[in-house]
Amino acid sequence: MYTDLVNFVEQLVPLNSGEWEAAYPFIESLELKRNDFFVEEGDIAQYIAFTRKGYLRVFYNHDGEEITRDISPLNTFVTALPSFISQTPSFEIIQAVTDCDLLIIHRDNLELLYNEYINWQKVGRRVMEEMFVDTQYRIYAFITQTAETRYKEMMKRYPDIFLHVPLQYIASFLGITSQSLSRLRKSIRFEE
Amino acid sequence: MYTDLVNFVEQLVPLNSGEWEAAYPFIESLELKRNDFFVEEGDIAQYIAFTRKGYLRVFYNHDGEEITRDISPLNTFVTALPSFISQTPSFEIIQAVTDCDLLIIHRDNLELLYNEYINWQKVGRRVMEEMFVDTQYRIYAFITQTAETRYKEMMKRYPDIFLHVPLQYIASFLGITSQSLSRLRKSIRFEE
DNA sequence: AATTATACTTAACAAATGATAAAAAATAAA
DNA sequence: TTTATTTTTTATCATTTGTTAAGTATAATT
């Protein structure tokens, strides 16, 4: 049940059994069916999720168009952070792309953990650091690489995502239209 | 001396005087002349900086070309995070674009603070959260906006940067060549 | 001041991506 | 299975941005 979460956290900050025991009562389980929402527009994000199974996408409504800013790989933390932090209505929408098994923690309980255990506070910091570094790399990719290179790298790094996530979301994630992605895939097919 | 730093931190996490007193001995001051390096390629980043005066840019060498991934606004934290976290040689280079007054903290001392004071650990987490949110917005801008819009928004948000940072760095930061930025600025000049 | 180096601009052409519209394919619903 | 809906692909043309090369302006050095 908790195996993947434990492994993920332990890799960042080794915790003793007391620290884990304190956390378990706060960890709830949530199953989402495909297309279910984890956070809807205007919601105040109360939970942070760890994706045990399935894929979530984070998107915005931008002039009636859905802009996918993130597709969560397996075993990562996901929430609408601006809303979660400041308890304001969320402009980010989080939806299940496939059926999902999530572990979720309520913000209030996470605060309790954070304030009681310096090591849980540290986990929070380390998770954010890693997410920040990932995001910086993505900016680097936007600056230096063409959409084709970004696509190929994504294929290499997250092949599983391509098996489960519609191409239109992937296109948006890569910063191009689905038509451009289609063209790009065609040109790759005839490459070698 | 510490005013801006104190304001910045207090806005995220209010600290008592004991927590500040514990930190002061660790805070060193560093002045950089224009073009001085804060982190050179291959260095192991030992310090995190708070920019009291002046602008730092974070860039990579990408096929002999310098790719500016970040230009630090005033009163922000800057370091080569991947290197700083894992104490590995840095591929990120950090250089002073103008003369700079920095407050810096050594990694070892920061760790001491983090491990001694849950509230300093919390500061670390909150700083990372804010930086992460900023970076996510930047990705959103890359996906949805044209270079012209990104340029205009940057003008609005950081007008001071344009007074002190060469356009070639700004172009790279926006994800375009300096020639494209030039053309773009020209077309804006003749707009109204 | 003259010289050199650096930064910025301009121009013409090439390449990448967007916009629009439509067809084809895949999936879901009846 | 048939029908309807959604997703993906194709194609054409427009726009944005890159590339190359040159010129101009600005700043640094002698």
Side-chain angles (χ1 to χ4, degrees), chain A residues 91-102:
Chain A
F91 53 90
E92 298 172 325
I93 302 163
I94 305 181
Q95 189 178 23
V97 178
T98 61
D99 293 355
C100 289
D101 290 357
L102 308 177

Side-chain angles (χ1 to χ4, degrees), chain A residues 33-165:
Chain A
K33 290 284 161 206
R34 187 159 78 89
N35 294 333
D36 283 355
F37 289 94
F38 179 57
V39 175
E40 294 196 61
E41 191 163 15
D43 277 3
I44 291 175
Q46 301 287 0
Y47 288 92
I48 186 167
F50 180 82
T51 56
R52 254 159 44 80
K53 262 187 200 159
Y55 299 89
L56 297 171
R57 73 181 177 113
V58 180
F59 67 99
Y60 312 115
N61 276 324
H62 173 83
D63 306 340
E65 222 189 338
E66 296 185 352
I67 303 299
T68 297
R69 205 222 32 233
D70 257 309
I71 300 169
S72 66
L74 296 181
N75 298 319
T76 52
F77 286 105
V78 182
T79 189
L81 201 65
S83 172
F84 188 79
I85 290 176
S86 55
Q87 295 291 286
T88 49
S90 183
F91 53 90
E92 298 172 325
I93 302 163
I94 305 181
Q95 189 178 23
V97 178
T98 61
D99 293 355
C100 289
D101 290 357
L102 308 177
L103 296 176
I104 63 176
I105 304 185
H106 194 281
R107 182 182 181 273
D108 296 342
N109 291 328
L110 187 61
E111 283 295 325
L112 287 177
L113 266 190
Y114 277 165
N115 293 328
E116 196 93 4
Y117 295 91
I118 198 168
N119 264 340
W120 275 109
Q121 188 74 249
K122 189 172 185 174
V123 169
R125 175 176 62 85
R126 293 289 296 110
V127 166
M128 280 302 137
E129 285 178 353
E130 296 296 323
M131 288 171 83
F132 178 65
V133 167
D134 264 16
T135 314
Q136 280 188 316
Y137 179 73
R138 224 175 131 206
I139 286 178
Y140 171 72
F142 270 112
I143 296 179
T144 58
Q145 301 174 353
T146 116
E148 179 174 334
T149 311
R150 297 201 298 277
Y151 170 78
K152 284 178 173 172
E153 291 216 347
M154 189 177 174
M155 275 286 244
K156 252 191 225 155
R157 189 158 173 207
Y158 303 109
D160 55 314
I161 287 184
F162 286 82
L163 300 175
H164 300 106
V165 177

Side-chain angles (χ1 to χ4, degrees), chain B residues 7-143:
Chain B
N7 287 342
F8 185 90
V9 169
E10 288 280 327
Q11 217 174 325
L12 295 175
V13 185
L15 297 176
N16 63 40
S17 60
E19 285 156 345
W20 276 112
E21 291 305 324
Y24 288 141
F26 294 153
I27 303 176
E28 306 169 50
S29 153
L30 175 65
E31 293 187 12
L32 294 182
K33 288 283 161 208
R34 189 159 76 90
N35 293 333
D36 283 354
F37 289 94
F38 179 57
V39 175
E40 294 196 61
E41 191 163 16
D43 277 4
I44 291 176
Q46 301 286 0
Y47 288 92
I48 187 167
F50 180 81
T51 55
R52 254 162 41 83
K53 264 189 199 158
Y55 300 90
L56 297 171
R57 73 181 177 114
V58 180
F59 67 99
Y60 312 117
N61 276 323
H62 173 83
D63 309 338
E65 221 189 338
E66 295 185 351
I67 303 300
T68 297
R69 204 220 37 229
D70 257 307
I71 299 168
S72 67
L74 295 182
N75 300 319
T76 51
F77 286 104
V78 181
T79 190
L81 201 65
S83 172
F84 189 79
I85 291 176
S86 55
Q87 294 290 287
T88 50
S90 183
F91 54 90
E92 298 172 327
I93 303 164
I94 304 182
Q95 189 177 23
V97 178
T98 61
D99 293 354
C100 290
D101 290 358
L102 308 177
L103 296 176
I104 63 175
I105 304 185
H106 194 282
R107 181 181 182 275
D108 296 342
N109 290 329
L110 188 61
E111 283 295 325
L112 286 176
L113 266 190
Y114 277 165
N115 293 328
E116 197 93 5
Y117 296 91
I118 198 169
N119 264 341
W120 275 109
Q121 189 74 250
K122 189 171 186 176
V123 170
R125 174 176 63 84
R126 293 290 295 111
V127 167
M128 279 303 137
E129 284 178 353
E130 295 297 322
M131 288 170 82
F132 178 65
V133 168
D134 264 15
T135 315
Q136 280 188 316
Y137 179 74
R138 224 175 131 204
I139 286 178
Y140 171 72
F142 270 112
I143 295 179

